[in-house]
Amino acid sequence: RLELKYGAQYTGKRTDAAMNKWRSNRFGQFIHWGLYAIPGGVWNGKTYNYAAEFLKSSAHISTATWDSLMYKFNPKKFNAKEWAKMAKKMGVKYMTITTKHHEGFCLWPSRYTDFNISNTPYKKDILKEIVDAYNAEGIDVNFYYSVLDWHNPDWRYDIKSKEDSIAFRRYLDFAENQLKELATNYPTVKAFWFDGTWDASVKKNGWWTLEVEKMLKSVRPGVIINSRLRADDYGSRHKDSNGELMGDYESGYERRLPDPVKDIKVTSWDWEACMTIPENQWGYHQDWSISHVKSPLELLEMLVHATSMGGNFLLNFGPKGDGSIRSEEQNIAKTIGDWMAVNGQVIYNCDYAGLKKQDWGYFTREKGSNQLNMVIFNVPVSGLLHVDVPKGMILKKAHFLTTPGQQIKVEEIAKNQYLLHMPIKLYTSPQVIVVECDNGK
Ligand SMILES: C#C[C@@H]1N[C@@H](C)[C@@H](O)[C@H]1O
């Protein structure tokens, strides 16, 4: 093992109340909103297919031109309470919002840069409106913060000279001041979601990433930090040079999920996957016909998949520049919310059940419960659901979550092997079967 000054500060899962709440939340809404929402992936009449929040670089727009978008940011259709109500109905328990994305524009009236909401026609502290509206709906709010900052002249992609080092040190002080400002002025914030930390300049300053983690945890005790902030003494990210996870949960799953067999080890630490609805658009893009757009059922399966492996699922929304939510996103929120209203108990406060993955779908288990949840996406033509159980576990009774009075036949076919007999019919939404187990302990 290497002696590290800036490596993991602890091993194993945090078990304090704040982390237990973060874990039990399971389902979150990501919101990417900034100046990039105004052009929405189109510049001078040309549509750029790459992620809309990267339009400045895709269309080779100068910083001066891009930054002047600030004078156009005036979301007339913005209504924080409507956003929060939609999120509540979708069934999310937390929301992570981009306080500052790579463009450097701040949704809050930061005292450390003029490139912020107070200098837009909107003027008001829009971040506070959003935090208050979501908190009022009982939804926890987390802050996304990009360390990468295209606006700040002290930002550096690498440190190649004394001048770079002096400038970047100024930048790190600026960023730390902004983070302290966010943690101080928005006291209900529950977690910080760092991004834009992949460049050599940050990897060469692992000390700063630990200093920021410690500062935030002292300003806001219990606050949760993602692994993406962290670099160790040797520039190793997410996991330190001894292979230990840094921060409080792994946040490397971006637009992908761990494999239920090959990546089963993720069940031993906390993690979160963040997901776009189109293939790769985080900020609002005017034209979603340029790529596949995931259906509500595809996204619902990803949520269940994440829960089944002990992870959180953060589904992204990209509000328009006028503050409205596009109809496709509203429809997805409604469809997922309708399912969650009936079946949310197999997601919230649920975790990896410890059983072998089967083709028909996913197992989840509520913490401390002797009830096994089976979420079925692929009904076998035989109607027979195969279940391999760990030694000592006995499956007793089963029924659909929604019809507790109708038993489903549970047939033991061999040692630690069962078949559940599902009525053969057309199912048009994921089915949930709950199974009473005897864990033999
Ligand atoms: C690349 C990249 C960024 N990481 C995602 C979470 C989005 O913020 C995207 O712009």
Side-chain angles (χ1 to χ4, degrees), residues 32 53-54 101-102 144 193 195 198 254 282:
H32 276 70
E53 70 281 2
F54 274 86
H101 202 259
H102 310 331
Y144 166 110
W193 206 104
D195 199 9
W198 48 78
E254 180 171 318
W282 297 92

Side-chain angles (χ1 to χ4, degrees), residues 181-192:
E181 186 177 47
L182 285 167
T184 307
N185 298 346
Y186 304 89
T188 62
V189 64
K190 295 291 181 291
F192 280 82

Side-chain angles (χ1 to χ4, degrees), residues 189-210:
V189 64
K190 295 291 181 291
F192 280 82
W193 206 104
F194 286 91
D195 199 9
T197 53
W198 48 78
D199 288 300
S201 53
V202 180
K203 291 197 284 190
K204 289 175 178 173
N205 285 281
W207 65 271
W208 179 80
T209 71
L210 177 56

